[in-house]
Amino acid sequence: MSGIKVFAPASIGNIGVGFDIMGAAINNPGDEIVVKKGAAPGLTIDKIFGDHGRLSKEVEKNTAGKSALALMKYLGKEEEPISFEIYKKMPFSSGLGSSAASAVAGAFAINEYFKRPLSKPELLPFAMEGEKLASGAFHADNVGPSLLGGILLFEYNSLYYQRLYSPEGLTLVVIHPQIEILTSEARAILKSEISLKSHVEQSANLGLFITGLMKGDFECIGRGLKDIIIEPQRSKLIPFFEDVKKSAIDSGALGCSISGAGPSMFAIAQNTFTAERICNAMVEIFSKNKIQTTSYISPINNEGAILL
Ligand code: HSE
């Protein structure tokens, strides 16, 4: 049997103003898994491509393996012979939700293999098992969108979510400068307390951002997309952050901030034409400073994980 192949996309965690509670899926990059009948009882990770030897083939220590196994146990299929081939097509520690995409692909692959015993939203807790292994913290801002697509808003410390609708034309620009930032380190530098003034300001910004999305009001989206709490603390980990952000805004971006824990940066544009201009301007700043980048332009990916 040649097996089936699934895809789980990258995502922008936080979207600036929604630290740990809001995220959006993009069309690519993403991770793929081929799942087929295995040679021995239980789940085996037979091959991993594209990881340069960095990922464990031990199921319990692998993000995709962990989420897949959690679902197999739940379904009472722990002893079924299953083989995974993992195609890691996303950069590590990039701020693009790489571990989340693997975790989602693992659970999604098992569900497809067993002919969809669970609905997609029901896979969320299983995908979270893999993500928790990778990040050590509980936040579904990458896993949720990678699985379910769209822009999702989560309740604090919970898997309760609401889908936020976005206006037509809204386009995401994501630039990945080729440096690595460990999420754990980018979390460790954050202050655990903020002032009342900061709380009020960020609440207003998040409220405006969401209102702008729901009403299709680009001005309101732009006014809201200002992270005054996390970005000032993390931006120092990203070389030339301020220059790159300025170039995005000067080129017409509604806003620009850090994707997830960084180093990737994202900008939001009103249409693909402006998005291309913004993308070129951001890339130019990095390349002028001898930092290689990979860039992505994408609408919101409303599908999330899919069977290929
Ligand atoms: N919300 C997370 C963070 C996303 O910013 O640390 C990174 O996985």
Side-chain angles (χ1 to χ4, degrees):
M1 183 189 168
S2 60
I4 53 174
K5 192 186 246 189
V6 304
F7 169 84
S11 51
I12 299 174
N14 306 333
I15 323 184
V17 275
F19 179 65
D20 277 357
I21 56 166
M22 189 166 66
I26 57 175
N27 282 346
N28 62 70
D31 282 347
E32 292 170 9
I33 292 181
V34 172
V35 53
K36 55 187 167 191
K37 192 171 183 334
L43 176 63
T44 315
I45 298 173
D46 284 314
K47 291 181 189 146
I48 307 180
F49 300 93
D51 70 325
H52 308 288
R54 291 173 64 169
L55 296 179
S56 174
K57 282 191 187 158
E58 248 182 84
V59 171
E60 287 280 0
K61 292 186 182 162
N62 179 288
T63 312
K66 183 90 180 167
S67 63
L69 190 61
L71 180 57
M72 286 169 71
K73 281 184 184 161
Y74 177 81
L75 296 173
K77 307 271 193 194
E78 209 180 334
E79 294 303 316
E80 289 275 331
I82 291 184
S83 157
F84 266 10
E85 279 174 15
I86 300 173
Y87 293 80
K88 194 72 208 158
K89 296 198 164 177
M90 295 180 58
F92 290 88
S93 304
S94 58
L96 295 170
S98 174
S99 55
S102 292
V104 165
F108 187 77
I110 293 296
N111 199 50
E112 291 296 312
Y113 184 81
F114 289 116
K115 311 238 180 314
R116 299 188 195 171
L118 298 189
S119 69
K120 251 181 160 188
E122 286 171 335
L123 296 177
L124 199 49
F126 302 99
M128 276 304 286
E129 288 299 312
E131 171 73 328
K132 269 192 285 178
L133 173 73
S135 83
F138 188 94
H139 49 84
D141 53 329
N142 288 113
V143 160
S146 180
L147 176 65
L148 303 164
I151 307 179
L152 301 186
L153 176 71
F154 282 88
E155 183 180 41
Y156 173 66
N157 221 11
S158 155
L159 291 181
Y160 176 83
Y161 68 90
Q162 285 290 331
R163 189 174 287 274
L164 304 176
Y165 293 92
S166 53
E168 209 175 308
L170 188 127
T171 308
L172 299 164
V173 177
V174 185
I175 311 291
H176 172 228
Q178 263 138 51
I179 51 175
E180 288 191 10
I181 295 180
L182 286 176
T183 299
S184 52
E185 284 171 17
R187 294 182 80 83
I189 63 164
L190 298 176
K191 293 189 204 117
S192 58
E193 290 183 4
I194 58 164
S195 66
L196 182 61
K197 177 187 166 297
S198 298
H199 163 71
V200 174
E201 192 173 343
Q202 188 93 342
S203 302
N205 289 349
L206 177 60
L208 286 170
F209 180 72
I210 292 171
T211 305
L213 285 178
M214 304 303 263
K215 291 178 78 173
D217 181 331
F218 287 113
E219 186 198 338
C220 191
I221 291 172
R223 282 180 179 268
L225 187 46
K226 292 184 188 117
D227 169 22
I228 59 117
I229 294 175
I230 308 296
E231 184 185 300
Q233 300 182 69
R234 283 181 168 171
S235 57
K236 33 177 118 46
L237 302 175
I238 304 170
F240 309 103
F241 176 86
E242 293 303 337
D243 293 348
V244 176
K245 178 172 174 172
K246 183 173 183 310
S247 76
I249 304 290
D250 289 351
S251 306
L254 298 171
C256 170
S257 189
I258 302 168
S259 178
S264 292
M265 293 175 63
F266 75 94
I268 297 188
Q270 290 190 37
N271 53 54
T272 47
F273 177 74
T274 319
E276 299 233 358
R277 195 170 61 210
I278 295 165
C279 182
N280 291 338
M282 293 172 80
V283 166
E284 198 185 317
I285 303 286
F286 278 122
S287 80
K288 212 168 67 184
N289 289 290
K290 311 220 166 356
I291 297 175
Q292 288 191 343
T293 54
T294 312
S295 51
Y296 308 93
I297 294 179
S298 173
I300 302 289
N301 169 347
N302 282 310
E303 272 191 294
I306 51 168
L307 180 66
L308 291 176

